[in-house]
Amino acid sequence: MRQNLGEINPESQQHQLHDAALYLSVKVYELLKHPDVIRKPADIALFFSCYKNFYKAAATEIKKRYNMEDPVLSKLQVFEPASALCHNFRSHFPTLMPLMEVVPRIIAPADYAKKQIIDNEWRTLPNTQAHHPQGLNEISEPDKFWAQLLKIEDFSELAHFALSTLSLPHANADCERVFSKVNLIKTDLRNRLTVETVNGTLLAAESAKGLTRTGYCVNFEPTKEMYSRMTKDKIYGRKNDNIEMDEQQIEDYLNRLTDSGDDDFASQQRM
């Protein structure tokens, strides 16, 4: 079993690899063997020192932002594909009850039937690899792994629970990014954009992000139906949408006019 992340001190030499054990990519490996570089051992030592300092600083900042002792975050290793398919891992985590107990909004505390189904699927998962989707054991990303298992009826409850738990936010960074995007979209010059338009713009930006995603924005072609929806009223809303008044509000408004001395105008409006 791995060491508890909360107990690891990035500044401690005890938790750091020696230079020869660090993986620096193929290109760096080749450069370090170049004769001109070999002749400068002081520069090599400085390079490794800077490399380690960078990762020490990154690890320290991560520990500041995330509570490694969090009852949910500390247990998420069970959903790593390698752990989920490992027989030996079950000797340490024979049941998912410790995790299900700390996420009552995903699994109701009194829903013992669903808890038992999830536990049964968890315990049998490593023993039924012949029924797994093809190539499942080659997937290293947890979200893709459980999305594949979600298609298998025998493991659908377990996969749904895993994806729901993995989607829980453990920091406010994602929310802050969305707020920043909203400020870039709804500017002073575009202050009449409706909530639906801003939401649609955010979703479009997210779905088109990255060269490897389907529907990359450079090659995206809107359909005729999409063009038909891009009207002024749809995008900005109507000016009168937010100024409709019910009868009581109108009466109160006219009463205020009367109280202010503008009786003639108020009388005309009541007629």
Side-chain angles (χ1 to χ4, degrees):
M1 290 295 294
R2 68 178 66 181
Q3 185 172 356
N4 190 322
L5 292 177
E7 299 174 355
I8 296 178
N9 178 12
E11 297 292 338
S12 173
Q13 293 291 334
Q14 176 187 355
H15 299 126
Q16 296 177 16
L17 297 173
H18 55 83
D19 293 353
L22 294 173
Y23 179 74
L24 307 173
S25 80
V26 174
K27 189 171 183 179
V28 173
Y29 179 79
E30 292 295 330
L31 287 173
L32 290 174
K33 295 195 303 180
H34 194 280
D36 293 340
V37 176
I38 294 175
R39 287 194 292 267
K40 300 176 181 179
D43 290 347
I44 295 176
L46 178 61
F47 167 76
F48 277 104
S49 177
C50 292
Y51 181 86
K52 287 183 176 180
N53 287 337
F54 170 79
Y55 276 101
K56 283 193 293 185
T60 301
E61 291 301 316
I62 289 173
K63 289 196 69 176
K64 288 180 182 178
R65 287 165 171 76
Y66 293 91
N67 178 14
M68 299 303 172
E69 303 296 336
D70 180 86
V72 177
L73 185 60
S74 61
K75 297 179 179 65
L76 289 186
Q77 60 175 313
V78 301
F79 293 137
E80 291 183 3
S83 301
L85 296 176
C86 179
H87 290 87
N88 294 334
F89 190 78
R90 295 304 185 281
S91 62
H92 301 285
F93 287 93
T95 174
L96 293 180
M97 276 300 295
L99 183 54
M100 287 189 277
E101 288 175 344
V102 296
V103 286
R105 293 192 177 184
I106 295 178
I107 301 294
D111 196 347
Y112 300 109
K114 180 173 286 189
K115 289 180 179 179
Q116 189 61 63
I117 292 173
I118 292 173
D119 242 10
N120 290 342
E121 293 180 4
W122 167 253
R123 292 174 63 82
T124 59
L125 181 60
N127 303 320
T128 56
Q129 297 195 27
H131 302 288
H132 294 172
Q134 186 176 4
L136 183 70
N137 60 344
E138 299 174 1
I139 300 176
S140 59
E141 297 90 343
D143 55 338
K144 294 181 180 179
F145 175 87
W146 293 107
Q148 286 295 316
L149 275 179
L150 189 63
K151 303 174 184 177
I152 307 300
E153 185 177 356
D154 292 343
F155 301 105
S156 59
E157 290 291 349
L158 172 62
H160 187 270
F161 172 65
L163 290 170
S164 298
T165 307
L166 289 170
S167 67
L168 294 174
H170 297 280
N172 62 353
D174 287 338
C175 299
E176 295 295 342
R177 291 191 190 100
V178 174
F179 293 150
S180 297
K181 287 182 179 179
V182 170
N183 289 333
L184 292 173
I185 294 170
K186 192 167 184 177
T187 63
D188 291 340
L189 295 177
R190 307 172 71 192
N191 58 23
R192 286 180 54 206
L193 287 176
T194 63
V195 174
E196 291 78 7
T197 301
V198 174
N199 185 53
T201 305
L202 289 170
L203 291 173
E206 181 65 24
S207 63
K209 183 171 62 179
L211 290 168
T212 60
R213 294 196 180 182
T214 305
Y216 180 50
C217 61
V218 171
N219 302 318
F220 180 72
E221 289 290 338
T223 63
K224 290 183 178 180
E225 182 182 0
M226 292 178 182
Y227 279 123
S228 68
R229 293 175 178 270
M230 297 178 187
T231 63
K232 182 176 66 174
D233 290 342
K234 287 284 187 181
I235 296 176
Y236 297 104
R238 298 178 181 178
K239 289 184 178 180
N240 296 329
D241 285 349
N242 297 322
I243 60 174
E244 293 182 357
M245 302 171 66
D246 58 30
E247 292 182 2
Q248 184 60 47
Q249 289 175 314
I250 294 173
E251 185 65 27
D252 292 342
Y253 171 68
L254 294 175
N255 287 335
R256 285 196 298 272
L257 288 176
T258 302
D259 294 340
S260 65
D262 198 350
D263 296 341
D264 293 338
F265 178 78
S267 299
Q268 292 174 5
Q269 296 304 312
R270 285 193 172 97
M271 293 179 60

